[in-house]
Amino acid sequence: MFSLERWQEIFETISKNKLRTFLTGVSVASGIFILVVLLGIGEGMQNGVEIQFQRDAENKVSVTGGVTSLGYGGLNPGRDIQLVLDDFYTAVQTSDFDIEFQSPLYRVWSGLASNGSESGSYRLEGVHADYQFLEKASIINGRFINPLDQDLGTKNVVIGNRVKKDLFKEKDPIGEFITVSGVKFKVVGVYTDPGGERSEARIFMPLKTAQRIFGNGEDIRTISFTLPKVSDYDLALYQSQAFLKKIERQLRSKYNISPVDTSALYLSNNIESTKEIYTILSTMKLFFWGVGIATLFAGIIGVSNIMLIIVKERTKEIGIRKALGAVPMSIVGMVLHESIFVTALSGMFGLILGLLLLESVGPFIDTEFIVNPEVNFNVAVSTVIILIIAGAIAGFFPAWRGARIKPIDALRDE
Amino acid sequence: MIEIKDLHKSYKVGKNSLHVLKGINFSVKEGELVSIMGSSGSGKSTLLNILGMLDEADQGSYNLDGVPIKNLNEKLAAQYRNKFLGFIFQSFNLINYKTALDNVALPLYYQGLPRGERMDRAMSYLEKVGLADWATHLPNELSGGQKQRVAIARALASHPKVLLADELTGALDTKTSYEIMDLVQQINDEGKTILVVTHEEDIAQMTKRIVNLKDGVIIDDKKVEPIRASAHV
Ligand SMILES: Nc1ncnc2c1ncn2[C@@H]1O[C@H](COP(=O)(O)OP(=O)(O)OP(=O)(O)O)[C@@H](O)[C@H]1O
Ligand SMILES: [Mg+2]
């Protein structure tokens, strides 16, 4: 069926009917092009949402002290709830669950850091070694705060990539000293954080060090944990809620907080919001698939239409060919071969064009909502194949009808 | 070469049936040049289409070169047409996006000849009809007479047993018609069997035998001494 002779005949027909070929090609190529770009943008938006929401470990739970809004046990409302390091250890010791990562946090909202003439104002955070994983920070260079730093209260700091760029430009900061609020610290690591610029404008140091230099005794701001991941979402949610509930109950009783006061303790459970992210993502996925399938469908209808017109237009030619000895299957083969060839070629062309656009423009898109717009290559190739098959099926019926038409009737067609 | 016995053909027109051929008995020997005459609507084209396997008779037998033509499926009919017959139509029926040469080569494609051989043979037939210089031209760049010559070259290229021509001069002026008939006579001189449908007396007089159709039956079938078309060109 796909002999060299047939190819020659097809090439001849195609090259002699440039407009027809061009129109078919353009409609197929533009359909695929639109589809690819659309899927790319969809993917980019998904990436954007994921990054927006998943700045920290997706199974992180934390408790932060707030201000009471209700009087309780003879105490007035408007009381600051100041957590202390003991609260952290109590939570760890009384936990009913194994804990994966754990860290207290002491925060100074703004501290002036400088290296020679370069300076900037950054958040200072005193933490334990696990905090790296709770924050999803990854080390670019050097290391994170380690248990030894914590035990000894070393003046070692880990700086965010933003801080590194501000204070060190292109220089390697590891082993260099910076001055923070008048105290000298040694830089031992540089980290990057999926939370972006703001999350990278921080300086981590051992909790003990932060408490000693910037703090007030044993005060801490937040305690954070993760439980080991379980594959079942509902189980993970149940465990995290039970774990958090227990800490909350202990703190409420220790600090004399009304059981209905919602502002005295800030409880956060990322697993709960993960559910929302997954809902948003799956809704978006559904939307883009819907639009994609609609586009594909429109493309298929376009191709079928063109095929129908082509066969209609070629009725007389088909009659002549049959009179000269073309068997019905050779007519079907001719029409299909041509249509498959043209759809495949222009489909690939549209695909490559779309991929090139995403590849070249994608990295320059500077918005938080579209990140790294890419198309799964397999998905893209599958769409082209689907379109070709659909085009072939859609082309088959007109081709078959053309082949069945009696030669005298076809010859009479003007 | 051609043997038909008691051939009948009716067309359905709405609820009615139109009996067009009412028992045709007719045979043609190899090398004959026959014209089929008759008034409009007498069934000439219908007969020729059946002979050309473009249409099927309702009743009767048809033998072509000893092969019974009966209950052919589309595929076999196409193969027989390709092998046995060459068609020449009033409206030329050339494929408009193919050059003269490619048009002539087309039946050879369906015979499965390799490309080189197709082109050589097509070229030799274009030379034969005097259009070698026009090989690369498209049909719409040719005159009516030239188009018909291309069609004749195409009909001859597949080496058919019989040439069937329906009003082959119908779209041409008298002078061009005679030139075409001259070519037809030359081809017949070389031994090719040719059937020509016409309603023009002067064209019929250039054949060796005239068959007269009226109301679906043959009313007259006589041999004549052909007038040489070359004398009038
Ligand atoms: N496909 C068809 N369906 C119905 N009737 C038809 C069909 N083809 C031909 N006829 C009718 O059959 C009759 C014979 O037609 P045919 O074409 O054989 O005539 P003809 O002798 O070739 O006439 P002309 O000289 O005008 O070409 C006509 O009355 C015509 O209307
Ligand atoms: Mg007729």
Side-chain angles (χ1 to χ4, degrees), chain A residues 408-409 412, chain B residues 11-13 18 20-21 38-47 49 55 90 166-167 197-199 213:
Chain A
I408 32 168
D409 294 334
R412 214 174 280 137
Chain B
Y11 285 117
K12 285 228 156 25
V13 183
L18 183 67
V20 180
L21 298 181
S39 56
S40 189
S42 56
K44 307 183 295 289
S45 296
T46 306
L47 177 60
N49 286 337
D55 205 351
Q90 176 175 358
D166 194 353
E167 309 274 12
V197 161
T198 183
H199 59 263
L213 265 186

Side-chain angles (χ1 to χ4, degrees), chain B residues 82-213:
Chain B
N82 186 251
K83 197 165 139 197
F84 291 128
L85 302 171
F87 291 95
I88 305 164
F89 303 93
Q90 176 175 358
S91 55
F92 321 122
N93 283 341
L94 300 175
I95 292 177
N96 57 19
Y97 64 82
K98 283 180 178 285
T99 62
L101 186 68
D102 288 334
N103 264 288
V104 176
L106 193 58
L108 304 177
Y109 169 69
Y110 290 114
Q111 281 187 344
L113 253 64
R115 188 178 172 82
E117 209 173 310
R118 288 204 306 263
M119 291 307 157
D120 288 349
R121 211 203 276 184
M123 197 62 206
S124 73
Y125 278 97
L126 271 184
E127 269 165 32
K128 190 179 174 68
V129 300
L131 288 179
D133 294 344
W134 297 84
T136 58
H137 286 249
L138 292 174
N140 61 13
E141 298 161 356
L142 303 175
S143 71
Q146 286 172 325
K147 281 188 223 179
Q148 200 58 300
R149 283 167 187 274
V150 173
I152 291 170
R154 181 178 67 183
L156 288 173
S158 59
H159 294 165
K161 302 274 184 207
V162 180
L163 279 192
L164 300 174
D166 194 353
E167 309 274 12
L168 83 166
T169 59
L172 307 174
D173 61 39
T174 311
K175 180 169 176 290
T176 316
S177 296
Y178 290 169
E179 285 169 5
I180 292 295
M181 282 313 289
D182 182 31
L183 185 59
V184 168
Q185 284 177 335
Q186 286 173 31
I187 294 163
N188 178 247
D189 290 343
E190 290 166 16
K192 191 71 73 194
T193 313
I194 305 175
L195 256 74
V196 178
V197 161
T198 183
H199 59 263
E200 292 169 84
E201 188 62 38
D202 51 343
I203 298 296
Q205 291 301 332
M206 291 174 180
T207 65
K208 296 173 177 171
R209 175 182 163 195
I210 301 174
V211 175
N212 239 307
L213 265 186

